[in-house]
Every structure is written in structure tokens, then in C-alpha cells.
Amino acid sequence: MVPWLRTDLVVQLLVFLVVLVTHSSESKTTTAALLGKIKWRSIIKWTNLWIKTKRRISQKQDANPEISMTSVEIISSRGYPVEVHTVVTDDGYILEVHRIPHGKGQSTDSSTPLGKPVFLQHGFSTSDADWLISPSDRSLAFRLADLGYDVWLGNARGNIYSRKHANIDPSSEAYWKFSWDQMGTFDIPSVVNYILTKTGRAKLSYIGHSMGCAMFFVAMINRPELNDRIEVMMALAPATALAQMKSPIRYFAPFATPLQIVLRLLRTRAFLTRDDLMHRLQAAFCREQDRHKTFFCRNMVFALVDDDLRNISPDLWPVMDGHVPAGTSVRTAAQFAQNYNSGETFIPYSYGWLRNLQRYNGRLTPPPYELNKVTCPVYIFYGDNDLLVGPGDVAWLAGKLGNVKESIKVDHELYNHFDFLWATDNNRVLYDPIISRLPSAL
């Protein structure tokens, strides 16, 4: 089998068919009827055609140059200072962290102290571009920098900026044996300590979105001394217990284990990367006016969460597609499914009964994380229309954490999962409330 086909084609077809079946089943169409309508010969014909023409198809160039820019290039092109830092975790993963030390046009005099550090961490299969691609006046990262904060942007292991290791080849299976357990146990502590050492500060503020919150909670539980180094944590749509999840993910969650076995046999490494087959097909064949409107032209990450994007400007859609997805591991995706399957709890990755017995001190299932060990101040923000992290799961989390200061519903009845990053009215409904609860910049 052709190597690129083996890795991303199979993953994309599985995801595409799951979401397709989901949408069809919700429209009263049975799976059997759906499969009966599929023209399998046409699929084979189109697959063969794509293999033959793959090298001749190039992405269409869109008007906005930020579609193809890196995070560093976006920051620089907006007129802000930017630094690139490399952090090596205790288990050898090499992470790229981006820094905006101050706002646009502000003094760079060494005698002027920088503001307090704020660390922003993205969610599942994305990158720090999440915080950057909105217009500068409604981007949280740029707004914080302009207010005088020293802004640090994390990139989780396995994404396009942090796909390196001190000893392991990222193309090998060994590199991808991680979930958000390792991101929390190793990535977050390493980056937090690096930032505090670099800035000479005793504490920092942390803002996480979705899985970026799960990573943080794991870090505080496994490294409890870190709680004293966090001035405040802002949890945006925190993904922990997912028992009340309503996104299409719930339809294939029961099949997470057999799907992992299939992908392992097919030697699939990365999951949902920016250069995958579906992304290239959409870039080649989707018209601008079809983006996120017709089913085929929906970004797979957004389709899985089932956000309707009605609160996000269509001008931003192509830029979002240029940066999402950014890649993660199959295990990370499976852990979302496992947490849904396990009900109202927040659990580590399950390796199967036999390996769980070895890894979790004789337990057949992973022991739930003790969320009461998260003792730093936490503010939770959630949306009523979030199909991945619903209000019920947020209420459960708020009752478990050790020091919740406030649980705040965003004042927008249609607010959903990705609105936390890109909604046009975020300044009013989200960012101003966040900033008002942060410590002063100096």
C-alpha cells in the first residue's frame, strides 16, 4: 500500500463515514439503507483517480496570506514582537513555544520590566494558531499583549510545531504512544517551569481551551507542587467528563478499541494532520462559497464536534481551515471516546485489561483522576450550545475541582465549542470577562 495512503486516507475515510452515518441516522435514514446507496465502484474509481493525479493537484491560493503562514509569521506580520523557544520534556519530546513579550509599538527598553506571564494552551489536534487568526482587536493573545502581559503560546506534542524528539524518530510508532496523560504529566510542567525560569517570575496565569484544560488538570494532579505556581487558571470549555456529550463522536466512541486495532495494523501514526488527504481534496475541489456549508467541504475537526460556525465570520473560515487540524496521536483521540464511555468521571488512558493490570497497580480499569487535587484558583467558562462539553459535564467538573472561584455561562444562547476561539463578539461575551478576572499585567 502506498505509504501516504496507508496513513491518512484510511483515517479520513473512517472519520468521514462515521460523520456521514451520524448525519444520515439523525435524518431517519438507516445505516443499511445508506450503505446500499453507496456506489462502491465509483468510490474505487475516484480513489484510483486521486492516486494518479495526487501530485498534479495543488491547493488553490486564497486571498488571505495567513492561510499558509506559520504562527510566528502571523504574529510578525501583525506588527508584534515574537520569540521562538524550545522546551525539552523529561521524556524527550521537543516542544516549540511562541512568545509575544509585549504589545505592538510598546517599549523594548531593557530597563522596562515585562508584564506578568500568561500561558495559553490550545485543544485537540490544533496549534497555538487558534489564539492568533482572529483579527488582532478580537484575538485573545494580541489583546493580552497590548494590555501589557507577557504572552506565551504552547504547542502540544505531536502537532506541526512540536513533532520532534531527542531520541525517537517522529515517523516511528514509538513516538506516537502518547495521550493527554503524557501531555499533562510532561508537557505542561516542562513549559510552566521554563516560562517561570525565563521570566524570573514566581507564578503565571494559564488559559486553556478544551483539551488544554484536561492537560492542565493532569499536570496539577500529578505534579501538585505546580498549583502554587499558578496565579489563576481560566478553563474555556474544559474537556474532562464527557458523559453528556452530544457531538457525533459519541456514535463511534463504543468502537474506539477495535478502531485503534485497525489503525495500528495499518501502521497509522498521526491523527488528523493538516496535510491529510481530506484536507487536500477540499482545498482542490471546494469552492469558497461551499466552505463549511456542504457536507464534503466541512473541516473534519469541526464536523466531529458538529459546530455550526454561525457565530464565526465566513471570512475567517479559510484561515481556520489552513491551520486546523494540526495533528495529534490516535491515542489522544481514543481517550476522548474512553472518557465518554466511562460516564461522569475523568480517567487516564485505558490500555486494555491486561496492560491496565500492570500499569494501574492491579486495576482492570484506569483509576479516576482526583480533581480535588487541583487547588489553584480556577474560573470556568462554558457555552449552552456546546455539543462536546455540555453544561451538565461542566457542573460535574465544578463540583470536583478543589478551588473553583466561579463557573460562568457565556452570555450567548448559541455559543458552542469553537466560538471560544473565533466568535465575532468574543470581546464582549468572553474576553472582557476573562481579562477582568486576571491579575493586573504589571
Side-chain angles (χ1 to χ4, degrees):
M1 185 177 286
V2 182
W4 67 265
L5 182 63
R6 179 185 61 235
T7 56
D8 63 5
L9 174 60
V10 175
V11 173
Q12 289 303 307
L13 284 178
L14 284 171
V15 172
F16 186 82
L17 287 173
V18 165
V19 178
L20 180 60
V21 169
T22 296
H23 282 258
S24 298
S25 63
E26 291 175 349
S27 301
K28 310 289 186 184
T29 301
T30 66
T31 303
L34 174 67
L35 295 175
K37 294 179 180 179
I38 294 176
K39 305 295 184 182
W40 295 106
R41 290 184 180 179
S42 297
I43 290 177
I44 295 171
K45 178 180 177 181
W46 277 101
T47 302
N48 289 334
L49 177 62
W50 173 249
I51 293 172
K52 293 177 183 178
T53 60
K54 170 180 173 284
R55 296 183 181 180
R56 298 202 304 266
I57 297 178
S58 60
Q59 285 193 346
K60 295 177 289 186
Q61 296 300 310
D62 296 273
N64 192 330
E66 290 188 356
I67 293 171
S68 56
M69 284 184 178
T70 65
S71 294
V72 169
E73 290 169 340
I74 291 174
I75 297 169
S76 181
S77 70
R78 301 277 186 97
Y80 289 79
V82 60
E83 298 173 6
V84 178
H85 294 259
T86 299
V87 177
V88 182
T89 67
D90 290 345
D91 59 345
Y93 283 78
I94 300 173
L95 313 177
E96 184 169 305
V97 180
H98 301 143
R99 182 188 193 185
I100 310 174
H102 56 77
K104 182 162 53 176
Q106 294 177 4
S107 172
T108 57
D109 190 336
S110 58
S111 63
T112 304
L114 295 174
K116 292 180 179 178
V118 180
F119 176 29
L120 279 65
Q121 180 60 52
H122 65 81
F124 173 73
S125 193
T126 59
S127 73
D128 66 341
D130 285 0
W131 309 105
L132 303 170
I133 61 179
S134 286
S136 300
D137 60 356
R138 64 171 191 261
S139 156
L140 183 57
F142 292 127
R143 282 203 62 192
L144 290 172
D146 285 333
L147 288 170
Y149 292 96
D150 182 6
V151 179
W152 295 76
L153 306 170
N155 283 291
R157 61 178 63 192
N159 86 356
I160 55 174
Y161 299 111
S162 296
R163 200 169 293 175
K164 298 178 182 177
H165 195 280
N167 304 304
I168 303 173
D169 186 344
S171 65
S172 69
E173 183 180 1
Y175 175 88
W176 296 98
K177 289 184 176 181
F178 63 81
S179 66
W180 72 48
D181 297 333
Q182 286 72 39
M183 296 177 191
T185 302
F186 298 106
D187 294 11
I188 298 302
S190 296
V191 176
V192 167
N193 288 329
Y194 178 91
I195 293 171
L196 295 179
T197 300
K198 196 73 177 178
T199 61
R201 298 276 187 171
K203 295 187 176 186
L204 58 75
S205 297
Y206 184 103
I207 302 175
H209 176 244
S210 190
M211 190 186 76
C213 301
M215 296 162 60
F216 176 86
F217 297 144
V218 171
M220 298 302 111
I221 293 166
N222 288 340
R223 307 283 181 94
E225 71 278 4
L226 287 179
N227 282 282
D228 293 332
R229 301 175 195 173
I230 304 300
E231 195 151 14
V232 66
M233 190 268 186
M234 303 290 176
L236 314 184
T240 53
L242 300 171
Q244 299 185 38
M245 176 175 62
K246 297 179 181 178
S247 84
I249 295 174
R250 71 189 191 276
Y251 290 102
F252 68 81
F255 309 104
T257 299
L259 282 172
Q260 284 188 87
I261 293 172
V262 170
L263 295 175
R264 191 179 304 120
L265 291 173
L266 294 167
R267 300 176 61 196
T268 299
R269 307 291 188 245
F271 186 83
L272 292 178
T273 60
R274 201 167 73 183
D275 59 348
D276 59 33
L277 173 64
M278 188 61 69
H279 201 72
R280 294 195 297 268
L281 280 169
Q282 290 170 334
F285 297 115
C286 289
R287 299 173 301 170
E288 189 69 30
Q289 59 266 37
D290 292 331
R291 289 181 186 272
H292 296 282
K293 293 180 180 178
T294 63
F295 179 78
F296 172 76
C297 293
R298 292 200 71 187
N299 186 302
M300 281 293 102
V301 175
F302 305 137
L304 284 172
V305 176
D306 205 25
D307 273 5
D308 54 27
L309 307 185
R310 73 181 72 187
N311 302 322
I312 301 173
S313 170
D315 292 338
L316 201 59
W317 294 355
V319 188
M320 290 156 49
D321 287 343
H323 294 273
V324 179
T328 189
S329 68
V330 172
R331 282 187 181 180
T332 305
Q335 194 165 9
F336 272 90
Q338 291 175 357
N339 271 263
Y340 171 76
N341 293 336
S342 62
E344 290 286 16
T345 187
F346 180 45
I347 60 168
Y349 179 80
S350 176
Y351 295 86
W353 288 355
L354 291 179
R355 293 185 63 192
N356 285 345
L357 286 170
Q358 299 173 335
R359 196 173 189 94
Y360 299 124
N361 298 319
R363 291 180 58 110
L364 292 175
T365 58
Y369 278 115
E370 299 177 72
L371 286 162
N372 64 312
K373 291 184 177 179
V374 181
T375 57
C376 63
V378 176
Y379 290 87
I380 301 174
F381 293 82
Y382 67 94
D384 250 353
N385 195 39
D386 190 333
L387 300 184
L388 185 67
V389 181
D393 289 331
V394 170
W396 175 88
L397 172 65
K400 296 293 183 180
L401 291 171
N403 190 9
V404 174
K405 294 300 182 183
E406 200 173 356
S407 185
I408 303 140
K409 182 176 74 172
V410 176
D411 186 19
H412 193 307
E413 64 179 356
L414 298 177
Y415 207 79
N416 56 41
H417 200 67
F418 286 106
D419 286 345
F420 285 89
L421 302 171
W422 304 308
T424 55
D425 52 356
N426 265 348
N427 281 339
R428 177 183 65 84
V429 301
L430 182 63
Y431 296 160
D432 287 348
I434 288 175
I435 292 167
S436 70
R437 289 165 172 82
L438 284 173
S440 62
L442 299 177

